Amino acid sequence: AREEHLGFDRLVADIAGDLAGAPEDAVAQAIDGALRRIGEGLHFDEAAIWRKSPDSRGFDPLFSWARRPGTPREIVPSASIPWIASRFDDGRTAAFASLSDVHSPSDREWFKRNGTRSMAVVPFAANCALVLGSSLRECEMTPPILNRLRLLGSVIGQAIARRPAADALSPAVEEVRTLRARLAGDQPAPRRELRAIKTSRVIVAES
């Protein structure tokens, strides 16, 4: 148990270092890599970051990793998993080691239909959660394990918080590159596009 605990601590430290050191334009790739390491290191089949949709009707896999290539990324309807959705809204972890631990008939039926045997949904922000699932075996979901998953969720949440600035900057950078390419070819840019670039600069200045 001590070796397992130390191994988990090393995993958290390595992921935190990788995410902290990633340039802003590479944060998304770093998060994808972190999910893969979490899934493989903790022996889950899938790892994802769920984001609640603006209309609150479902959960969108903002980032995801699956052991089986080609696993589709699908929006999960909130109505299909009311127990999970309720705990998500309250900011509380929802986890089960086997389907027999799921008392909500709707949730249990949805997980059974999708072949999920164990799952943990760990909210770490107002509308995001770290989600780990297993379809090949049942996984322990003890309080110490869930506490460590909360720590991982917090680490990933800090990385996601860095993305808005990069996301806001990217369109402006691309527009500037396009303008430079036109100027290099002595092709005047349309006034409409120049106005768009001016707007983007204002956004960047405010960020």
Side-chain angles (χ1 to χ4, degrees):
R2 176 178 173 78
E3 291 182 0
E4 181 181 349
H5 181 78
L6 291 175
F8 191 95
D9 288 346
R10 283 194 294 269
L11 177 65
V12 173
D14 290 346
I15 289 175
D18 291 345
L19 292 176
E24 284 193 345
D25 60 355
V27 170
Q29 293 90 331
I31 293 173
D32 284 334
L35 291 177
R36 176 186 58 78
R37 294 184 66 180
I38 293 170
E40 292 178 344
L42 301 182
H43 308 293
F44 285 95
D45 303 318
E46 297 184 28
I49 301 298
W50 280 4
R51 179 176 59 183
K52 195 170 187 177
S53 62
D55 59 9
S56 299
R57 293 184 178 180
F59 301 101
D60 179 23
L62 185 62
F63 301 94
S64 66
W65 166 86
R67 193 176 299 276
R68 291 178 296 181
T71 300
R73 294 174 55 173
E74 299 177 344
I75 294 178
V76 180
S78 300
S80 298
I81 50 172
W83 172 62
I84 295 286
S86 175
R87 294 187 69 87
F88 188 107
D89 289 342
D90 292 340
R92 294 184 295 164
T93 297
F96 58 91
S98 78
L99 286 176
S100 62
D101 298 330
V102 181
H103 300 299
S104 164
S106 296
D107 292 70
R108 187 168 57 249
E109 177 58 30
W110 190 87
F111 291 127
K112 182 178 180 180
R113 188 168 61 248
N114 286 273
T116 304
R117 301 181 64 179
S118 296
M119 192 174 201
V121 180
V122 185
F124 58 79
N127 63 344
C128 289
L130 171 63
V131 180
L132 299 170
S134 175
S135 57
L136 299 179
R137 68 186 185 94
E138 295 182 348
C139 301
E140 277 191 300
M141 295 294 176
T142 62
I145 290 174
L146 295 178
N147 285 335
R148 295 168 190 170
L149 294 182
R150 292 187 189 99
L151 178 58
L152 280 171
S154 177
V155 167
I156 294 176
Q158 292 176 19
I160 291 177
R162 296 172 54 202
R163 294 186 68 231
D167 290 345
L169 180 62
S170 296
V173 171
E174 186 59 34
E175 288 167 353
V176 170
R177 287 174 178 168
T178 301
L179 178 60
R180 285 176 175 170
R182 286 201 181 97
L183 292 175
D186 293 327
Q187 297 179 11
R191 292 181 61 84
R192 177 180 59 82
E193 297 189 8
L194 287 172
R195 285 199 298 271
I197 294 171
K198 182 178 179 181
T199 301
S200 296
R201 285 175 179 166
V202 171
I203 294 173
V204 173
E206 293 174 349
S207 62

